[in-house]
Amino acid sequence: MSHIILPKDWDSPRNEITPENVYQNRREFLQLMGMAVGGIAGALAPAPAVADDGFFGLFDSAPSKLKTDFPPVPNLKRNSDYTVSRPVSSEVAALKYNNFYEFTSEKSKVWENINDFKTRPWQVKISGLVKNPIVLDVDDLIKMMPIEERVYRHRCVETWAMVVPWNGFPLEALMEKVEPESSAKYVEFTSFFDPGIAKGQNSVVDLPWPYTEALTIEEAGNELTFMATGIYGHQQPAQHGAPIRLVTPWKYGFKSIKSIVEIKFTDSRPATFWNTLIPREYDFTANIDPEVAHPRWSQKREKMIGTGDVFATQKFNGYGEFVAYMYR
Ligand SMILES: Nc1nc2c(c(=O)[nH]1)N[C@H]1C(S)=C(S)[C@@H](COP(=O)(O)O)O[C@H]1N2
Ligand SMILES: [Mo]
């Protein structure tokens, strides 16, 4: 994508960097790239996909190498409490246009770079300020949970959007089982760390891997907050964050962290990936708001993957009736 200037070393193995010289290396790196401090943002941040180069029209063709045979989820019922007026996006488009910086920063190439990612067996740890901490296999977790289908909008901070049928369970249902302590104020989600297969985690630039995200305890317990263990009626494909990812449809897409290994209940606000890297551009709350421009582009409009249709972006992505009460 022409908007992203990638550091040359993105794909090369991480140098031996000791804690003492990290900062100096980063500064030298920025100088080398001719970037001011904050220029790292331009180098690594999600960039707008608005002025695209024809990608949108190509999405519907499935290259023969694209994996599409995922195990179906039996007896799946769609929850009709959550409806979207726009059509559901093409599955092939969604499989071929992803943000998953652990693998590559090129959205149209994640699917080609994810074949070595093993997402079964997979353990999930639920820890911190809960009465019943537990480590369990993701398939055992899925068996315990009320699995349903929900069609949600998704709006990336970069201005691309989609409508997809996730399947999974509300985080609320898991919270009822683990019973957060009254002292729990936040929930922190941590993604996997495996630089052997995730080439982006080998970057010479010091990035705060593993990817982490967090919600307030109130947001975590909101009825919309969903743990997606699948999409389009089947198990989660690797590029969508298999085997389990967060979905918070009223927040910019970077909050919906993929391939989660730990869910931790805490009393203080956890550091999160993009907010740590570029706080000026990616705030902690990250609620969708067309009136608040990103420092480098407008957030007033969005473009659907697959069709290229452009719509006005709505406050809270149209989910105000479910979430506005939390921000008054
Ligand atoms: N672990 C991890 N989770 C992540 C990301 C990432 O790079 N790594 N990208 C985020 C961003 S910016 C978006 S828009 C969505 C994209 O989800 P999709 O590829 O399933 O459409 O995943 C989010 N979750
Ligand atoms: Mo995003």
Side-chain angles (χ1 to χ4, degrees):
M1 299 294 291
S2 52
H3 303 279
I4 300 178
I5 311 149
L6 267 184
K8 264 210 166 113
D9 294 317
W10 182 261
D11 282 332
S12 64
R14 178 184 272 272
N15 290 350
E16 285 306 317
I17 299 175
T18 65
E20 303 83 66
N21 64 21
V22 162
Y23 175 69
Q24 210 180 335
N25 280 352
R26 188 190 285 209
R27 211 175 48 183
E28 281 167 9
F29 172 82
L30 289 171
Q31 281 165 356
L32 204 72
M33 301 293 290
M35 291 183 283
V37 174
I40 189 111
L44 295 173
V50 248
D52 67 84
D53 25 25
F55 272 127
F56 285 95
L58 298 173
F59 279 155
D60 271 313
S61 58
S64 52
K65 279 188 295 172
L66 182 70
K67 185 175 154 55
T68 52
D69 56 333
F70 307 101
V73 176
N75 309 317
L76 195 56
K77 292 219 171 50
R78 185 170 289 189
N79 187 331
S80 58
D81 291 348
Y82 312 101
T83 56
V84 178
S85 54
R86 294 174 206 168
V88 168
S89 301
S90 134
E91 178 172 3
V92 169
L95 281 170
K96 288 169 63 192
Y97 199 73
N98 307 96
N99 271 328
F100 210 162
Y101 277 75
E102 283 86 339
F103 295 94
T104 170
S105 60
E106 282 190 80
K107 283 178 267 295
S108 57
K109 296 205 169 137
V110 173
W111 68 272
E112 294 175 304
N113 282 281
I114 206 152
N115 293 326
D116 296 336
F117 185 34
K118 297 274 169 292
T119 60
R120 293 284 191 300
W122 186 280
Q123 294 215 311
V124 183
K125 181 178 180 183
I126 297 148
S127 63
L129 301 170
V130 288
K131 295 199 176 67
N132 313 308
I134 188 170
V135 178
L136 79 181
D137 183 86
V138 72
D139 288 313
D140 294 332
L141 175 63
I142 290 170
K143 274 182 217 138
M144 283 165 54
M145 288 294 137
I147 300 297
E148 61 178 43
E149 182 172 71
R150 291 189 184 186
V151 178
Y152 276 171
R153 285 186 284 269
H154 174 98
R155 169 58 156 85
C156 175
V157 71
E158 304 160 335
T159 74
W160 60 270
M162 61 184 184
V163 174
V164 292
W166 300 110
N167 62 75
F169 57 89
L171 181 56
E172 202 182 7
L174 179 61
M175 288 164 71
E176 275 165 24
K177 295 231 192 275
V178 298
E179 297 183 72
E181 307 281 0
S182 58
S183 53
K185 300 284 179 266
Y186 293 90
V187 185
E188 176 183 34
F189 304 84
T190 305
S191 200
F192 73 101
F193 184 69
D194 188 353
I197 53 117
K199 287 199 184 125
Q201 292 181 331
N202 284 306
S203 165
V204 69
V205 187
D206 188 42
L207 299 176
W209 301 118
Y211 198 105
T212 52
E213 258 308 334
L215 300 171
T216 66
I217 194 87
E218 189 181 31
E219 292 170 334
N222 183 274
E223 67 175 283
L224 288 183
T225 305
F226 202 61
M227 304 307 302
T229 51
I231 191 169
Y232 293 100
H234 51 64
Q235 241 181 37
Q236 202 66 285
Q239 60 266 54
H240 287 305
I244 182 166
R245 59 94 58 82
L246 177 67
V247 177
T248 48
W250 73 100
K251 292 177 178 286
Y252 288 117
F254 67 87
K255 295 296 286 186
S256 56
I257 178 174
K258 296 175 170 182
S259 305
I260 293 165
V261 297
E262 184 168 3
I263 302 174
K264 187 176 182 181
F265 292 76
T266 66
D267 55 6
S268 59
R269 200 181 92 173
T272 57
F273 185 85
W274 287 110
N275 183 251
T276 300
L277 205 51
I278 319 158
R280 205 174 67 86
E281 301 199 358
Y282 307 104
D283 70 313
F284 176 82
T285 303
N287 288 337
I288 295 166
D289 188 345
E291 299 310 319
V292 179
H294 183 276
R296 291 183 285 130
W297 59 84
S298 162
Q299 293 292 24
K300 285 194 189 301
R301 277 125 91 66
E302 62 201 48
K303 190 165 189 173
M304 306 306 293
I305 63 165
T307 63
D309 288 345
V310 174
F311 292 97
T313 291
Q314 293 168 269
K315 178 136 172 126
F316 299 122
N317 209 16
Y319 291 102
E321 61 172 307
F322 299 100
V323 300
Y325 73 92
M326 295 188 287
Y327 310 104
R328 280 186 189 122

